[in-house]
Amino acid sequence: MIELKFRIYLEDTDAGGIVYHANYLRFMERARTELLRAAGLEQSATFTEDVSFVVHTMKLQFHSPARLDDIVIVTADVSATRGASFVVAQEVRAESGSVHCSAEVSVACIRLSDQKPRRIPEQLLNSLKQGNERPQ
Amino acid sequence: MIELKFRIYLEDTDAGGIVYHANYLRFMERARTELLRAAGLEQSATFTEDVSFVVHTMKLQFHSPARLDDIVIVTADVSATRGASFVVAQEVRAESGSVHCSAEVSVACIRLSDQKPRRIPEQLLNSLKQGNERPQ
Amino acid sequence: MIELKFRIYLEDTDAGGIVYHANYLRFMERARTELLRAAGLEQSATFTEDVSFVVHTMKLQFHSPARLDDIVIVTADVSATRGASFVVAQEVRAESGSVHCSAEVSVACIRLSDQKPRRIPEQLLNSLKQGNERPQ
Amino acid sequence: MIELKFRIYLEDTDAGGIVYHANYLRFMERARTELLRAAGLEQSATFTEDVSFVVHTMKLQFHSPARLDDIVIVTADVSATRGASFVVAQEVRAESGSVHCSAEVSVACIRLSDQKPRRIPEQLLNSLKQGNERPQ
């Protein structure tokens, strides 16, 4: 389970005075990157080792908007792992706990060379399982 | 049904050599803006007339990625209307017809002043229905 | 001399209600890309042919801001060419002619493989000169 | 003098494998926001108190590019103050000290209501001077 905390800057907002909706995806990707890093993968390494991760599907719910100068917390929590993909539950929320945006993100492992699905490297898969999946 | 066609520029790509996934949401929002404009609404007017539209939920599927210099077509098609919201089916696809990203987007009508749900103005609602819904 | 015309969307604005200042650079890069394309270079080709162009210096002046729903015109005009670089004069302006942002952009030609300066390919250099430089 | 340190994420890069040039402006604006905050100004307050700051001119130099996963340091240092504007010297650099991008940014104080120049509030001006200008 990863938690990042950062501030909302002008770049993140739109003329409605709130965070532009697509930017929550940028925030969530930052947390997924740290999730993979914590599991042993440098993002830049994905481009040299013929393993890459791409978002396959996303279900997004937008709740109350975040605004300029807000501090937000972005979480990423592996909720399921399969051989060639994993699912991440994510939230962008205020320090008060109120949720700005929640998502279920399915991430597929591919070979960078031909963009075809491939198995997640064993060690990485184990790290994703251990560090993140809750015992039943 | 709205169709926009434009080119993928460097700003849209990432170090993976493909369109950064969150940018498909920017493209789709352009098409929804033109959909509302075609139905009689200037986007900027939403900020002065106490009516605004916010994305409520999104289901996204990422298929084959678009790349630098590609021409893409973005579509927006109203698939359902309710009193205070409507659903848009959207695609970003290549000229060849192959789909890069598809989405079902639920858009809620709110009062800008207090961010509370409100009914879609009647004339706009009718335009959204007429211009876009297919007869059964 | 290249001229692109497009609309300002929500993605381009910030909570100040105007175009976020860094986005003028995105607009200008679109026009420079079309300038190079008109001179015979596909942007994506730069990554396969070991020739690439990077912005070296930029002098920017921000005048009156562009706003949501505005139509803007972005221009790119080669003002000088050297062996391994060229200078582009650029503007983002309203249809009325009033200027939102103007820039002088120095673009360097590099080898992609080692990021070192290299001479602009002769044919491309000639095209940049002919198509764009004004006779004295 | 403000220093922010953060990581380069996929969102910041382009298909050239490096940080997209316009994104250095986003990074620099983050540091200027913290500079103003340190001097007593909340960015969001600028929209309610009829005082706002806009970038007037920028001189940018792009040196060696930053890449995915890099840690960068962004600085903002007031180099001059006038009644209605101030100048900030900024850098985006690697932890090793090598500079990715440097800039001289002139920031004007305006009334938000009519976008006209106005004097910087006295207390803020003093803070900018004291906290940031070096004695001669």
Side-chain angles (χ1 to χ4, degrees):
Chain A
M1 160 78 135
I2 289 288
E3 269 197 28
L4 298 183
K5 187 194 279 200
F6 48 83
R7 192 179 286 281
I8 299 301
Y9 288 111
L10 198 53
E11 64 182 283
D12 303 313
T13 61
D14 67 28
I18 59 179
V19 167
Y20 182 66
H21 75 297
N23 288 335
Y24 293 108
L25 275 71
R26 290 170 44 216
F27 303 162
M28 289 179 176
E29 189 257 352
R30 294 179 198 173
R32 289 197 310 276
T33 300
E34 297 304 335
L35 186 79
L36 286 167
R37 194 187 318 278
L41 188 81
E42 281 284 308
Q43 180 74 4
S44 53
T46 65
F47 299 123
T48 51
E49 284 172 23
D50 206 19
V51 49
S52 186
F53 290 92
V54 292
V55 175
H56 188 60
T57 65
M58 259 189 153
K59 285 183 203 162
L60 288 155
Q61 282 194 284
F62 299 92
H63 310 278
S64 64
R67 292 168 185 281
L68 192 62
D69 288 333
D70 281 1
I71 299 287
V72 296
I73 293 160
V74 186
T75 63
D77 195 13
V78 175
S79 58
T81 52
R82 297 181 204 106
S85 68
F86 60 100
V87 180
V88 190
Q90 300 205 252
E91 277 185 358
V92 181
R93 59 171 190 250
E95 288 187 292
S96 69
S98 91
V99 178
H100 298 306
C101 182
S102 58
E104 191 188 285
V105 185
S106 166
V107 179
C109 188
I110 60 168
R111 283 191 298 264
L112 192 63
S113 50
D114 60 5
Q115 305 275 326
K116 298 288 179 201
R118 56 155 284 171
R119 225 184 131 69
I120 300 172
E122 209 56 32
Q123 203 169 356
L124 186 59
L125 186 62
N126 287 336
S127 298
L128 287 174
K129 278 181 186 167
Q130 286 171 2
N132 293 284
E133 281 197 318
R134 294 198 193 82
Q136 311 267 313
Chain B
M1 161 77 136
I2 289 290
E3 269 198 28
L4 298 182
K5 188 194 278 199
F6 48 83
R7 191 179 286 281
I8 300 301
Y9 288 111
L10 198 52
E11 63 181 285
D12 303 313
T13 61
D14 66 30
I18 60 178
V19 168
Y20 181 65
H21 75 298
N23 288 336
Y24 293 108
L25 276 72
R26 288 169 46 214
F27 303 163
M28 289 182 176
E29 188 256 352
R30 294 178 197 173
R32 288 197 310 277
T33 300
E34 298 304 336
L35 185 79
L36 286 168
R37 196 188 315 279
L41 188 82
E42 281 283 307
Q43 180 74 3
S44 53
T46 65
F47 299 123
T48 52
E49 284 172 19
D50 206 18
V51 49
S52 186
F53 290 92
V54 293
V55 174
H56 188 59
T57 65
M58 260 187 153
K59 284 183 204 162
L60 289 155
Q61 282 193 285
F62 299 91
H63 310 277
S64 63
R67 291 169 185 280
L68 193 61
D69 288 331
D70 281 0
I71 299 288
V72 296
I73 293 161
V74 187
T75 62
D77 196 14
V78 175
S79 57
T81 52
R82 297 180 205 108
S85 68
F86 61 99
V87 181
V88 191
Q90 302 205 251
E91 277 186 359
V92 181
R93 59 171 189 251
E95 288 187 291
S96 68
S98 92
V99 178
H100 299 305
C101 182
S102 59
E104 189 188 285
V105 185
S106 164
V107 179
C109 187
I110 59 167
R111 281 192 298 263
L112 191 63
S113 50
D114 59 5
Q115 304 276 326
K116 298 287 180 201
R118 55 154 287 169
R119 225 185 129 68
I120 300 172
E122 208 57 32
Q123 205 170 353
L124 186 60
L125 185 61
N126 287 335
S127 298
L128 287 173
K129 278 182 184 166
Q130 285 172 3
N132 293 284
E133 283 196 318
R134 295 199 190 82
Q136 310 268 312
Chain C
M1 159 79 134
I2 289 289
E3 268 197 30
L4 298 183
K5 187 195 278 201
F6 48 83
R7 191 179 286 282
I8 300 301
Y9 288 112
L10 198 53
E11 65 182 283
D12 303 313
T13 61
D14 66 29
I18 59 179
V19 167
Y20 182 65
H21 75 297
N23 288 334
Y24 292 109
L25 276 71
R26 290 170 44 216
F27 304 162
M28 289 179 175
E29 188 257 353
R30 295 179 197 173
R32 289 197 310 276
T33 300
E34 297 304 334
L35 186 79
L36 285 168
R37 195 188 315 280
L41 188 81
E42 280 285 307
Q43 180 74 6
S44 53
T46 64
F47 299 123
T48 52
E49 284 172 22
D50 206 20
V51 50
S52 186
F53 290 92
V54 293
V55 175
H56 188 60
T57 64
M58 259 189 153
K59 285 184 202 162
L60 288 154
Q61 282 193 283
F62 298 92
H63 310 278
S64 64
R67 292 168 185 280
L68 192 62
D69 288 333
D70 282 1
I71 299 287
V72 295
I73 292 160
V74 185
T75 63
D77 196 15
V78 175
S79 58
T81 52
R82 295 179 206 109
S85 68
F86 60 99
V87 181
V88 190
Q90 301 206 250
E91 276 185 359
V92 181
R93 59 171 190 250
E95 288 187 292
S96 69
S98 92
V99 178
H100 298 305
C101 183
S102 58
E104 190 187 287
V105 186
S106 165
V107 179
C109 188
I110 59 167
R111 282 191 298 263
L112 192 63
S113 52
D114 60 5
Q115 305 275 326
K116 298 286 180 202
R118 56 155 283 170
R119 225 184 130 68
I120 300 172
E122 209 56 31
Q123 203 170 356
L124 186 59
L125 186 61
N126 287 336
S127 298
L128 287 173
K129 278 181 183 165
Q130 285 171 4
N132 293 284
E133 282 197 318
R134 294 199 192 81
Q136 311 268 314
Chain D
M1 161 76 136
I2 289 290
E3 268 197 30
L4 297 183
K5 188 194 279 201
F6 48 83
R7 191 179 286 282
I8 299 302
Y9 289 111
L10 199 53
E11 63 181 286
D12 302 314
T13 61
D14 66 29
I18 59 178
V19 168
Y20 182 66
H21 75 298
N23 288 335
Y24 293 108
L25 276 72
R26 290 170 44 216
F27 303 163
M28 289 180 176
E29 189 257 352
R30 294 179 198 174
R32 289 197 310 277
T33 300
E34 298 304 336
L35 186 79
L36 285 168
R37 196 188 316 280
L41 188 82
E42 281 284 307
Q43 180 74 4
S44 52
T46 64
F47 299 123
T48 53
E49 285 172 20
D50 207 19
V51 51
S52 187
F53 290 92
V54 293
V55 175
H56 188 59
T57 65
M58 259 187 153
K59 283 182 204 162
L60 289 154
Q61 282 193 285
F62 299 92
H63 310 277
S64 64
R67 292 169 185 279
L68 193 60
D69 288 332
D70 282 1
I71 300 287
V72 296
I73 293 161
V74 186
T75 63
D77 195 14
V78 175
S79 58
T81 52
R82 297 180 206 110
S85 69
F86 60 99
V87 181
V88 190
Q90 300 204 253
E91 277 186 0
V92 181
R93 58 170 190 251
E95 288 187 291
S96 69
S98 92
V99 178
H100 299 304
C101 182
S102 59
E104 189 187 286
V105 185
S106 164
V107 179
C109 188
I110 58 167
R111 281 191 299 264
L112 191 63
S113 51
D114 59 5
Q115 305 275 326
K116 298 287 180 201
R118 55 155 286 168
R119 224 185 131 70
I120 299 172
E122 208 57 31
Q123 204 170 355
L124 187 59
L125 185 61
N126 286 335
S127 298
L128 287 173
K129 278 181 184 167
Q130 285 171 3
N132 293 284
E133 281 196 319
R134 295 201 190 81
Q136 310 267 313

